[in-house]
Structures are given as C-alpha cells and as structure tokens.
C-alpha cells in the first residue's frame, strides 16, 4: 500500500499536468481570438486563474518534497518542481506573446473598420454634395416655373384689360347708337369700329 504522502504527491502531479494543459489550451484560444477586446480580457482572466491554481499546486508539491524522509526522493521531487516552474515560466512567455499578437490583430481590425468608416464619411460627403447640387437645380427649375407663371399672369391681365376695354367700347357704341341712328355711322367711323 502506498504511503499517504505518495498519494498526495501523485494527485499534485496530476493536477499540475491538468492545469498546465488548461493553460496551454487557453493560450491557444488567445492566439485564435480575433476580438473584441472584451473576449480577450475574459480569456486572460481565465488564464490568470489557472496560473494561480498551477502555482498553488507547484508550491504544494515543493512542500511535499521538503517533507520527504529520503534524500533521493526529496531531490527527485525538487527536480520535478523545478521542471514544473520552468514549464510555467515558458507558458507565461507564450501567454504574453499570444496577448501581444492578439492585441495587434484587434488593433489592425479596428483600424480597418475606422478606414471603412472614413470611406462611409466620404460617401456621405459625396451624397451631401450631390444633394446640394440637386437642391440647387430644383430651386433653379422652380424659379424658372415662377417666371413663366408670372409672364402668363401678365399676359392674362393684358388680355383681360383688352376684353374690358373692348367691352367698354361696345357699351359706349350701343349707347351712342341709341342716341340717334344717323350718328351711329359717324360714331363708328370715329371709333374705328
């Protein structure tokens, strides 16, 4: 039967390996992350938690190594602790590089979106310019229609004045014809009717 210390050491080693693999999987998720920044922040929070758990288990293993009775077992466990610490440092380096790569990718994506936004601003500006030109041409057309209507009204007024004048002549001619039948031809000659 294995000593309780051996079982604890085995469990620590298994959990260290498990946390190490989880950290590596999260680092790969960070490498694959294309944004947004909140997703990267969430992944980083998970990585920090796993590193904390990993560090705690490595410390437990180190404590178990120091408590070993046999010097040879103690040295073997301390060597394992050193190897786990080196692996953790390697993972931290990979994590920093993955973060840097991801942040650069997110920045580039945001820059591209801003540039597309600039294209949209140019399109809006072009649209505003074309709207201004269209508005100007509509205003000119309306002014032309207004001038034509004004001319038409003036012609109608002249025609109305001519009709009124003719009507007044005709009335005066009738009055004159009622005065004397002989004076009608004379009156018509005078008026030019």
């Amino acid at each position: 039967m294995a000593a309780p210390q051996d079982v604890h050491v085995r469990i620590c080693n298994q959990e260290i390996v498990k946390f190490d693999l989880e950290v590596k999987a999260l680092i790969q998720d960070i490498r694959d992350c294309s944004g947004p920044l909140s997703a990267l922040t969430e992944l980083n929070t998970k990585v920090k938690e796993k590193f904390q758990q990993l560090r705690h288990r490595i410390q437990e293993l180190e404590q178990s190594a120091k408590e070993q009775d046999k010097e040879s077992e103690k040295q073997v466990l301390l060597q394992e602790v050193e190897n786990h610490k080196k692996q953790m440092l390697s993972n931290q380096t990979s994590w920093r590089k993955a973060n840097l790569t991801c942040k650069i990718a997110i920045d580039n994506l945001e820059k591209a979106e801003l540039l597309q936004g600039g294209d949209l601003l140019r399109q809006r500006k072009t649209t505003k310019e074309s709207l201004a030109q269209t508005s100007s041409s509509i205003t000119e057309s309306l002014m032309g229609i207004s001038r034509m209507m004004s001319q038409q009204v003036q012609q109608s007024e002249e025609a109305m004045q001519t009709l009124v004048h003719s009507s007044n002549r005709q009335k005066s001619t009738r009055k004159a014809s009622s005065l004397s039948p002989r004076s009608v031809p004379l009156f018509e000659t005078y008026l030019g009717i």
Side-chain angles (χ1 to χ4, degrees), residues 154-170:
Q154 189 175 5
Q155 288 175 353
S156 295
E157 283 178 359
E158 289 173 359
M160 185 64 94
Q161 286 176 354
T162 303
L163 285 173
V164 168
H165 185 65
S166 298
S167 178
N168 286 341
R169 272 191 178 174
Q170 192 178 18

Side-chain angles (χ1 to χ4, degrees), residues 172-185:
S172 65
T173 304
R174 281 190 192 145
K175 283 184 184 177
S177 65
S178 67
L179 295 174
S180 95
R182 283 179 40 221
S183 61
V184 171

Side-chain angles (χ1 to χ4, degrees), residues 32 127 143 164 178:
D32 297 338
T127 303
M143 288 175 64
V164 168
S178 67

Side-chain angles (χ1 to χ4, degrees), residues 130-144:
S130 67
L131 284 174
Q133 289 174 347
T134 303
S135 175
S136 176
S137 66
I138 289 173
T139 302
E140 288 177 20
S141 297
L142 287 173
M143 288 175 64

Side-chain angles (χ1 to χ4, degrees), residues 123-134:
Q123 288 175 352
R124 282 188 203 145
K125 184 178 178 184
T126 303
T127 303
K128 284 182 181 181
E129 289 173 357
S130 67
L131 284 174
Q133 289 174 347
T134 303

Side-chain angles (χ1 to χ4, degrees), residues 30-31 33-35 37 40 96-112:
I30 289 173
R31 284 187 187 114
C33 180
S34 60
L37 200 55
L40 178 62
R96 287 186 191 107
K97 287 179 182 179
N99 258 309
L100 183 63
T101 303
C102 184
K103 285 180 182 179
I104 290 172
I106 290 171
D107 286 347
N108 288 339
L109 185 65
E110 288 175 353
K111 285 177 187 176

